[in-house]
Amino acid sequence: MKNILVISYSQSGQLDEIIDNFLTPFVDTNIDRINIFPKKAFPFPWSSQAFFDVMPESVLEEKIELEPIILKCDNYDLIIIGYQPWYLSPSLPITALLQDKKFTSVLKDKPVITLIGARNMWLNAQESVKEYIHNAGGKLVANIPFIDRNSNLVSAVTILYWMLTGKKEKFLKIFPLPGISEKDINSASQFGDIVMKTFKNDSYDKLQKNILDLKLINIKTNILFIELRAKKLFKIWAKIIKNKSSNIRQRTVWIRVFKYYLFIALFIVAPIVLTVYHLIIAPFSLHAIKRKKEYFCGVLKK
């Protein structure tokens, strides 16, 4: 019997729901299902300080310690990695996993599928994950992102409310529910069905195309615009804060400054810049935008 490894880190449990639905078509299949845990657990709900304090290390993709990972098999026929982006980068536990030589040795010459649970920005994080998989000798055959489909500003408010309170409910009773919709979470089984058929046939060449044919994955132009620029700014902030990290008080101050910067950039600057972009720049860049979206929706590495 062929073996499948499904490995993930889910802090709120939302990604676990997605993976559970994704795996429903995999009946009579030998699945090694593993949740990874950092040795120093991240809090949920987060405190405001802790939520922003992970930014520098997340952006710089620094390795943290994980609890031991025990794999049931020496060889897997398909590997599925589920993860969340943190600050346009893979979450710290997933970064640690993908930097673990014992784990990455399992990826060599194997088809790999990534499942993402995100607010709405996953492009930069996936580029990093692609690089890790490529360097390990694995072959990325599919990527399936699940996102909050509400507007960027609305989802920013609702996700902060959820992350800082632990309550997945309507903020002020007027905002939509935070996170990925139940409809989209349940839709994971559709993707699982496509992957299961491919797995049985052991042919993955057209898998990503078949997934995209469901028309459930798309990239908004404003999100593309933000992601192509924001990671560079995040790296600048991350390096500044890391340089101040020898002094806990200084680091705390700079984390607070970054938090205020992020709120101003997100809620004041970004709407103005995006309006100008949509009115003046985007109409003359339609072909380039289309090509970039096709690239990020695919599995090939630059």
Side-chain angles (χ1 to χ4, degrees):
M1 182 179 288
K2 295 196 291 185
N3 302 313
I4 299 176
L5 171 63
V6 182
I7 190 164
S8 64
Y9 171 75
S10 180
Q11 192 184 27
S12 67
Q14 178 178 249
L15 184 59
D16 284 335
E17 289 184 60
I18 291 169
I19 293 173
D20 288 345
N21 279 283
F22 176 84
L23 292 176
T24 52
F26 288 80
V27 293
D28 299 324
T29 306
N30 187 27
I31 296 175
D32 189 2
R33 178 74 178 95
I34 296 176
N35 287 297
I36 61 175
F37 298 96
K39 280 199 171 180
K40 183 180 179 181
F42 295 100
F44 188 79
W46 294 85
S47 66
S48 178
Q49 177 65 25
F51 184 81
F52 291 99
D53 195 58
V54 298
M55 185 279 291
E57 288 73 22
S58 297
V59 172
L60 298 175
E61 298 183 18
E62 295 188 1
K63 188 176 181 180
I64 63 170
E65 286 191 86
L66 300 175
E67 294 291 348
I69 298 168
I70 301 173
L71 303 179
K72 293 179 181 177
C73 306
D74 295 325
N75 182 65
Y76 293 94
D77 300 281
L78 174 65
I79 298 169
I80 299 171
I81 301 172
Y83 76 95
Q84 308 150 319
W86 287 5
Y87 295 98
L88 311 183
S89 307
S91 69
L92 281 170
I94 290 297
T95 293
L97 177 74
L98 293 171
Q99 291 177 358
D100 183 285
K101 291 183 179 179
K102 184 178 179 181
F103 171 73
T104 54
S105 66
V106 178
L107 299 178
K108 187 172 175 58
D109 299 325
K110 295 297 185 292
V112 182
I113 293 172
T114 46
L115 298 178
I116 304 173
R119 180 173 74 88
N120 57 13
M121 297 186 190
W122 53 269
L123 311 184
N124 281 292
Q126 182 64 5
E127 286 302 289
S128 291
V129 171
K130 276 184 189 177
E131 186 76 18
Y132 286 121
I133 293 170
H134 174 78
N135 290 342
K139 182 181 180 183
L140 182 66
V141 294
N143 175 49
I144 310 169
F146 296 82
I147 64 167
D148 183 338
R149 297 187 187 274
N150 290 298
S151 73
N152 189 39
L153 296 184
V154 168
S155 65
V157 171
T158 58
I159 199 69
L160 276 171
Y161 175 72
W162 182 20
M163 293 297 103
L164 298 179
T165 67
K167 299 176 181 177
K168 194 174 184 180
E169 61 185 25
K170 293 184 177 182
F171 177 50
L172 298 177
K173 297 184 178 179
I174 57 173
F175 282 85
L177 286 170
I180 299 158
S181 71
E182 285 300 314
K183 179 180 178 182
D184 283 339
I185 290 174
N186 293 332
S187 76
S189 61
Q190 297 180 61
F191 296 109
D193 189 54
I194 292 173
V195 172
M196 181 60 183
K197 291 174 182 175
T198 303
F199 176 68
K200 284 183 176 179
N201 296 328
D202 200 26
S203 176
Y204 298 94
D205 291 343
K206 295 183 179 179
L207 177 57
Q208 187 67 9
K209 179 184 179 302
N210 293 338
I211 286 169
L212 294 176
D213 283 346
L214 289 178
K215 305 297 182 184
L216 294 175
I217 299 172
N218 62 78
I219 301 169
K220 293 181 179 179
T221 301
N222 65 326
I223 299 302
L224 176 69
F225 177 83
I226 293 171
E227 283 232 45
L228 290 176
R229 289 151 183 84
K231 185 66 180 280
K232 294 177 182 178
L233 294 173
F234 276 17
K235 282 185 176 180
I236 293 171
W237 275 101
K239 289 176 181 177
I240 291 172
I241 295 170
K242 286 294 289 185
N243 287 336
K244 306 293 183 180
S245 292
S246 59
N247 185 305
I248 295 176
R249 182 175 294 180
Q250 281 191 357
R251 178 182 171 106
T252 301
V253 169
W254 278 96
I255 289 290
R256 190 175 297 122
V257 173
F258 169 74
K259 177 173 69 173
Y260 292 135
Y261 155 80
L262 189 60
F263 286 153
I264 292 169
L266 183 60
F267 293 104
I268 298 176
V269 177
I272 296 171
V273 172
L274 287 171
T275 299
V276 173
Y277 172 72
H278 279 292
L279 291 176
I280 299 176
I281 302 174
F284 301 98
S285 308
L286 296 179
H287 181 64
I289 292 170
K290 182 174 181 288
R291 282 192 292 106
K292 287 174 182 175
K293 288 183 179 181
E294 287 173 349
Y295 167 76
F296 284 114
C297 282
V299 293
L300 297 178
K301 179 180 171 294
K302 284 182 181 177

